[in-house]
PDB file of all heavy atoms in Angstrom:
ATOM      1  N   THR M   1       1.688  -9.047 -21.374  1.00  0.00           N
ATOM      2  CA  THR M   1       2.175  -8.991 -19.993  1.00  0.00           C
ATOM      3  C   THR M   1       1.114  -9.467 -19.008  1.00  0.00           C
ATOM      4  O   THR M   1       1.440  -9.823 -17.876  1.00  0.00           O
ATOM      5  CB  THR M   1       2.593  -7.558 -19.642  1.00  0.00           C
ATOM      6  OG1 THR M   1       1.512  -6.662 -19.934  1.00  0.00           O
ATOM      7  CG2 THR M   1       3.826  -7.156 -20.455  1.00  0.00           C
ATOM      8  N   ILE M   2      -0.140  -9.449 -19.420  1.00  0.00           N
ATOM      9  CA  ILE M   2      -1.237  -9.958 -18.587  1.00  0.00           C
ATOM     10  C   ILE M   2      -2.077 -10.892 -19.450  1.00  0.00           C
ATOM     11  O   ILE M   2      -2.412 -10.570 -20.591  1.00  0.00           O
ATOM     12  CB  ILE M   2      -2.132  -8.824 -18.038  1.00  0.00           C
ATOM     13  CG1 ILE M   2      -1.303  -7.806 -17.239  1.00  0.00           C
ATOM     14  CG2 ILE M   2      -3.238  -9.401 -17.159  1.00  0.00           C
ATOM     15  CD1 ILE M   2      -2.104  -6.596 -16.783  1.00  0.00           C
ATOM     16  N   ALA M   3      -2.391 -12.064 -18.908  1.00  0.00           N
ATOM     17  CA  ALA M   3      -3.231 -13.026 -19.640  1.00  0.00           C
ATOM     18  C   ALA M   3      -4.192 -13.672 -18.654  1.00  0.00           C
ATOM     19  O   ALA M   3      -3.822 -13.975 -17.511  1.00  0.00           O
ATOM     20  CB  ALA M   3      -2.381 -14.093 -20.320  1.00  0.00           C
ATOM     21  N   SER M   4      -5.414 -13.885 -19.100  1.00  0.00           N
ATOM     22  CA  SER M   4      -6.419 -14.512 -18.240  1.00  0.00           C
ATOM     23  C   SER M   4      -7.315 -15.411 -19.064  1.00  0.00           C
ATOM     24  O   SER M   4      -7.423 -15.258 -20.282  1.00  0.00           O
ATOM     25  CB  SER M   4      -7.280 -13.454 -17.526  1.00  0.00           C
ATOM     26  OG  SER M   4      -8.079 -12.744 -18.464  1.00  0.00           O
ATOM     27  N   MET M   5      -7.947 -16.355 -18.373  1.00  0.00           N
ATOM     28  CA  MET M   5      -8.956 -17.199 -19.001  1.00  0.00           C
ATOM     29  C   MET M   5     -10.104 -17.357 -18.026  1.00  0.00           C
ATOM     30  O   MET M   5      -9.899 -17.689 -16.843  1.00  0.00           O
ATOM     31  CB  MET M   5      -8.387 -18.565 -19.366  1.00  0.00           C
ATOM     32  CG  MET M   5      -9.417 -19.527 -19.943  1.00  0.00           C
ATOM     33  SD  MET M   5      -8.660 -21.072 -20.496  1.00  0.00           S
ATOM     34  CE  MET M   5     -10.104 -22.147 -20.520  1.00  0.00           C
ATOM     35  N   SER M   6     -11.301 -17.087 -18.493  1.00  0.00           N
ATOM     36  CA  SER M   6     -12.495 -17.145 -17.652  1.00  0.00           C
ATOM     37  C   SER M   6     -13.547 -18.008 -18.323  1.00  0.00           C
ATOM     38  O   SER M   6     -13.640 -18.039 -19.552  1.00  0.00           O
ATOM     39  CB  SER M   6     -13.067 -15.737 -17.405  1.00  0.00           C
ATOM     40  OG  SER M   6     -12.105 -14.893 -16.796  1.00  0.00           O
ATOM     41  N   LEU M   7     -14.340 -18.702 -17.503  1.00  0.00           N
ATOM     42  CA  LEU M   7     -15.415 -19.543 -18.012  1.00  0.00           C
ATOM     43  C   LEU M   7     -16.720 -19.160 -17.332  1.00  0.00           C
ATOM     44  O   LEU M   7     -16.745 -18.795 -16.153  1.00  0.00           O
ATOM     45  CB  LEU M   7     -15.114 -21.025 -17.755  1.00  0.00           C
ATOM     46  CG  LEU M   7     -13.906 -21.617 -18.492  1.00  0.00           C
ATOM     47  CD1 LEU M   7     -13.737 -23.078 -18.109  1.00  0.00           C
ATOM     48  CD2 LEU M   7     -14.059 -21.480 -19.994  1.00  0.00           C
ATOM     49  N   ARG M   8     -17.770 -19.294 -18.094  1.00  0.00           N
ATOM     50  CA  ARG M   8     -19.095 -18.983 -17.567  1.00  0.00           C
ATOM     51  C   ARG M   8     -19.547 -20.056 -16.591  1.00  0.00           C
ATOM     52  O   ARG M   8     -19.319 -21.248 -16.803  1.00  0.00           O
ATOM     53  CB  ARG M   8     -20.085 -18.877 -18.726  1.00  0.00           C
ATOM     54  CG  ARG M   8     -21.427 -18.277 -18.344  1.00  0.00           C
ATOM     55  CD  ARG M   8     -22.190 -17.865 -19.574  1.00  0.00           C
ATOM     56  NE  ARG M   8     -23.375 -17.104 -19.245  1.00  0.00           N
ATOM     57  CZ  ARG M   8     -24.083 -16.408 -20.110  1.00  0.00           C
ATOM     58  NH1 ARG M   8     -23.703 -16.402 -21.379  1.00  0.00           N
ATOM     59  NH2 ARG M   8     -25.159 -15.737 -19.749  1.00  0.00           N
ATOM     60  N   GLN M   9     -20.191 -19.622 -15.507  1.00  0.00           N
ATOM     61  CA  GLN M   9     -20.770 -20.530 -14.528  1.00  0.00           C
ATOM     62  C   GLN M   9     -22.284 -20.344 -14.544  1.00  0.00           C
ATOM     63  O   GLN M   9     -22.795 -19.351 -14.006  1.00  0.00           O
ATOM     64  CB  GLN M   9     -20.235 -20.246 -13.125  1.00  0.00           C
ATOM     65  CG  GLN M   9     -18.789 -20.625 -12.920  1.00  0.00           C
ATOM     66  CD  GLN M   9     -18.336 -20.375 -11.494  1.00  0.00           C
ATOM     67  OE1 GLN M   9     -18.663 -19.361 -10.882  1.00  0.00           O
ATOM     68  NE2 GLN M   9     -17.594 -21.310 -10.936  1.00  0.00           N
ATOM     69  N   GLY M  10     -22.976 -21.281 -15.181  1.00  0.00           N
ATOM     70  CA  GLY M  10     -24.417 -21.124 -15.286  1.00  0.00           C
ATOM     71  C   GLY M  10     -24.763 -19.929 -16.153  1.00  0.00           C
ATOM     72  O   GLY M  10     -24.008 -19.527 -17.051  1.00  0.00           O
ATOM     73  N   ASP M  11     -25.915 -19.315 -15.868  1.00  0.00           N
ATOM     74  CA  ASP M  11     -26.376 -18.201 -16.690  1.00  0.00           C
ATOM     75  C   ASP M  11     -25.915 -16.849 -16.183  1.00  0.00           C
ATOM     76  O   ASP M  11     -25.899 -15.874 -16.943  1.00  0.00           O
ATOM     77  CB  ASP M  11     -27.907 -18.201 -16.766  1.00  0.00           C
ATOM     78  CG  ASP M  11     -28.444 -19.412 -17.510  1.00  0.00           C
ATOM     79  OD1 ASP M  11     -27.731 -19.919 -18.402  1.00  0.00           O
ATOM     80  OD2 ASP M  11     -29.565 -19.854 -17.178  1.00  0.00           O
ATOM     81  N   ASP M  12     -25.555 -16.753 -14.892  1.00  0.00           N
ATOM     82  CA  ASP M  12     -25.372 -15.420 -14.322  1.00  0.00           C
ATOM     83  C   ASP M  12     -24.038 -15.173 -13.638  1.00  0.00           C
ATOM     84  O   ASP M  12     -23.851 -14.155 -12.988  1.00  0.00           O
ATOM     85  CB  ASP M  12     -26.505 -15.129 -13.328  1.00  0.00           C
ATOM     86  CG  ASP M  12     -26.590 -16.184 -12.230  1.00  0.00           C
ATOM     87  OD1 ASP M  12     -25.774 -17.118 -12.235  1.00  0.00           O
ATOM     88  OD2 ASP M  12     -27.490 -16.058 -11.375  1.00  0.00           O
ATOM     89  N   ARG M  13     -23.070 -16.083 -13.778  1.00  0.00           N
ATOM     90  CA  ARG M  13     -21.780 -15.854 -13.132  1.00  0.00           C
ATOM     91  C   ARG M  13     -20.629 -16.257 -14.048  1.00  0.00           C
ATOM     92  O   ARG M  13     -20.798 -17.042 -14.984  1.00  0.00           O
ATOM     93  CB  ARG M  13     -21.669 -16.596 -11.797  1.00  0.00           C
ATOM     94  CG  ARG M  13     -22.672 -16.139 -10.749  1.00  0.00           C
ATOM     95  CD  ARG M  13     -22.294 -16.608  -9.358  1.00  0.00           C
ATOM     96  NE  ARG M  13     -21.130 -15.930  -8.817  1.00  0.00           N
ATOM     97  CZ  ARG M  13     -21.152 -14.717  -8.273  1.00  0.00           C
ATOM     98  NH1 ARG M  13     -22.285 -14.027  -8.206  1.00  0.00           N
ATOM     99  NH2 ARG M  13     -20.043 -14.185  -7.797  1.00  0.00           N
ATOM    100  N   VAL M  14     -19.457 -15.690 -13.737  1.00  0.00           N
ATOM    101  CA  VAL M  14     -18.231 -15.975 -14.474  1.00  0.00           C
ATOM    102  C   VAL M  14     -17.150 -16.328 -13.465  1.00  0.00           C
ATOM    103  O   VAL M  14     -17.055 -15.703 -12.403  1.00  0.00           O
ATOM    104  CB  VAL M  14     -17.787 -14.758 -15.312  1.00  0.00           C
ATOM    105  CG1 VAL M  14     -16.442 -15.029 -15.991  1.00  0.00           C
ATOM    106  CG2 VAL M  14     -18.832 -14.424 -16.356  1.00  0.00           C
ATOM    107  N   ALA M  15     -16.327 -17.318 -13.774  1.00  0.00           N
ATOM    108  CA  ALA M  15     -15.235 -17.730 -12.893  1.00  0.00           C
ATOM    109  C   ALA M  15     -13.902 -17.478 -13.598  1.00  0.00           C
ATOM    110  O   ALA M  15     -13.721 -17.846 -14.756  1.00  0.00           O
ATOM    111  CB  ALA M  15     -15.357 -19.196 -12.521  1.00  0.00           C
ATOM    112  N   LEU M  16     -12.966 -16.849 -12.873  1.00  0.00           N
ATOM    113  CA  LEU M  16     -11.613 -16.665 -13.382  1.00  0.00           C
ATOM    114  C   LEU M  16     -10.857 -17.967 -13.174  1.00  0.00           C
ATOM    115  O   LEU M  16     -10.568 -18.366 -12.043  1.00  0.00           O
ATOM    116  CB  LEU M  16     -10.923 -15.524 -12.642  1.00  0.00           C
ATOM    117  CG  LEU M  16      -9.470 -15.248 -13.023  1.00  0.00           C
ATOM    118  CD1 LEU M  16      -9.376 -14.783 -14.476  1.00  0.00           C
ATOM    119  CD2 LEU M  16      -8.857 -14.215 -12.085  1.00  0.00           C
ATOM    120  N   MET M  17     -10.502 -18.655 -14.264  1.00  0.00           N
ATOM    121  CA  MET M  17      -9.839 -19.953 -14.179  1.00  0.00           C
ATOM    122  C   MET M  17      -8.326 -19.820 -14.043  1.00  0.00           C
ATOM    123  O   MET M  17      -7.672 -20.684 -13.451  1.00  0.00           O
ATOM    124  CB  MET M  17     -10.163 -20.785 -15.420  1.00  0.00           C
ATOM    125  CG  MET M  17     -11.651 -20.957 -15.690  1.00  0.00           C
ATOM    126  SD  MET M  17     -12.509 -21.755 -14.330  1.00  0.00           S
ATOM    127  CE  MET M  17     -11.763 -23.386 -14.366  1.00  0.00           C
ATOM    128  N   GLY M  18      -7.757 -18.747 -14.592  1.00  0.00           N
ATOM    129  CA  GLY M  18      -6.325 -18.564 -14.525  1.00  0.00           C
ATOM    130  C   GLY M  18      -5.952 -17.131 -14.843  1.00  0.00           C
ATOM    131  O   GLY M  18      -6.605 -16.469 -15.652  1.00  0.00           O
ATOM    132  N   LEU M  19      -4.879 -16.633 -14.173  1.00  0.00           N
ATOM    133  CA  LEU M  19      -4.445 -15.256 -14.384  1.00  0.00           C
ATOM    134  C   LEU M  19      -2.925 -15.196 -14.269  1.00  0.00           C
ATOM    135  O   LEU M  19      -2.339 -15.763 -13.339  1.00  0.00           O
ATOM    136  CB  LEU M  19      -5.075 -14.334 -13.336  1.00  0.00           C
ATOM    137  CG  LEU M  19      -4.611 -12.876 -13.333  1.00  0.00           C
ATOM    138  CD1 LEU M  19      -5.029 -12.182 -14.621  1.00  0.00           C
ATOM    139  CD2 LEU M  19      -5.154 -12.144 -12.114  1.00  0.00           C
ATOM    140  N   ARG M  20      -2.317 -14.492 -15.180  1.00  0.00           N
ATOM    141  CA  ARG M  20      -0.874 -14.259 -15.127  1.00  0.00           C
ATOM    142  C   ARG M  20      -0.619 -12.766 -15.311  1.00  0.00           C
ATOM    143  O   ARG M  20      -1.150 -12.145 -16.224  1.00  0.00           O
ATOM    144  CB  ARG M  20      -0.155 -15.042 -16.222  1.00  0.00           C
ATOM    145  CG  ARG M  20       1.350 -14.806 -16.234  1.00  0.00           C
ATOM    146  CD  ARG M  20       1.991 -15.523 -17.388  1.00  0.00           C
ATOM    147  NE  ARG M  20       3.430 -15.255 -17.448  1.00  0.00           N
ATOM    148  CZ  ARG M  20       4.230 -15.674 -18.422  1.00  0.00           C
ATOM    149  NH1 ARG M  20       3.719 -16.389 -19.410  1.00  0.00           N
ATOM    150  NH2 ARG M  20       5.510 -15.394 -18.409  1.00  0.00           N
ATOM    151  N   GLY M  21       0.179 -12.204 -14.404  1.00  0.00           N
ATOM    152  CA  GLY M  21       0.552 -10.803 -14.525  1.00  0.00           C
ATOM    153  C   GLY M  21      -0.418  -9.838 -13.880  1.00  0.00           C
ATOM    154  O   GLY M  21      -0.273  -8.629 -14.029  1.00  0.00           O
ATOM    155  N   GLY M  22      -1.424 -10.339 -13.147  1.00  0.00           N
ATOM    156  CA  GLY M  22      -2.381  -9.463 -12.505  1.00  0.00           C
ATOM    157  C   GLY M  22      -1.841  -8.882 -11.206  1.00  0.00           C
ATOM    158  O   GLY M  22      -0.758  -9.227 -10.728  1.00  0.00           O
ATOM    159  N   LEU M  23      -2.613  -7.984 -10.608  1.00  0.00           N
ATOM    160  CA  LEU M  23      -2.241  -7.380  -9.338  1.00  0.00           C
ATOM    161  C   LEU M  23      -2.591  -8.307  -8.189  1.00  0.00           C
ATOM    162  O   LEU M  23      -3.433  -9.198  -8.319  1.00  0.00           O
ATOM    163  CB  LEU M  23      -2.971  -6.042  -9.163  1.00  0.00           C
ATOM    164  CG  LEU M  23      -2.684  -4.965 -10.233  1.00  0.00           C
ATOM    165  CD1 LEU M  23      -3.538  -3.738  -9.973  1.00  0.00           C
ATOM    166  CD2 LEU M  23      -1.204  -4.601 -10.255  1.00  0.00           C
ATOM    167  N   ASP M  24      -1.970  -8.063  -7.036  1.00  0.00           N
ATOM    168  CA  ASP M  24      -2.283  -8.841  -5.845  1.00  0.00           C
ATOM    169  C   ASP M  24      -3.765  -8.690  -5.500  1.00  0.00           C
ATOM    170  O   ASP M  24      -4.305  -7.575  -5.491  1.00  0.00           O
ATOM    171  CB  ASP M  24      -1.438  -8.363  -4.661  1.00  0.00           C
ATOM    172  CG  ASP M  24       0.030  -8.732  -4.824  1.00  0.00           C
ATOM    173  OD1 ASP M  24       0.321  -9.630  -5.637  1.00  0.00           O
ATOM    174  OD2 ASP M  24       0.878  -8.099  -4.148  1.00  0.00           O
ATOM    175  N   GLY M  25      -4.400  -9.810  -5.223  1.00  0.00           N
ATOM    176  CA  GLY M  25      -5.802  -9.798  -4.825  1.00  0.00           C
ATOM    177  C   GLY M  25      -6.786  -9.911  -5.968  1.00  0.00           C
ATOM    178  O   GLY M  25      -7.989 -10.105  -5.744  1.00  0.00           O
TER     179      GLY M  25
END
């Protein structure tokens, strides 16, 4: 019911590339 994909940004950050079924915001 919830799916996400995240990729690392450099050594110290993560970016959420896509989200389905998450809450607002």
Side-chain angles (χ1 to χ4, degrees):
T1 53
I2 303 175
S4 67
M5 176 175 160
S6 302
L7 295 179
R8 192 165 189 166
Q9 290 182 318
D11 294 331
D12 57 1
R13 297 196 71 80
V14 175
L16 177 64
M17 305 301 294
L19 174 65
R20 178 184 177 185
L23 300 177
D24 290 341

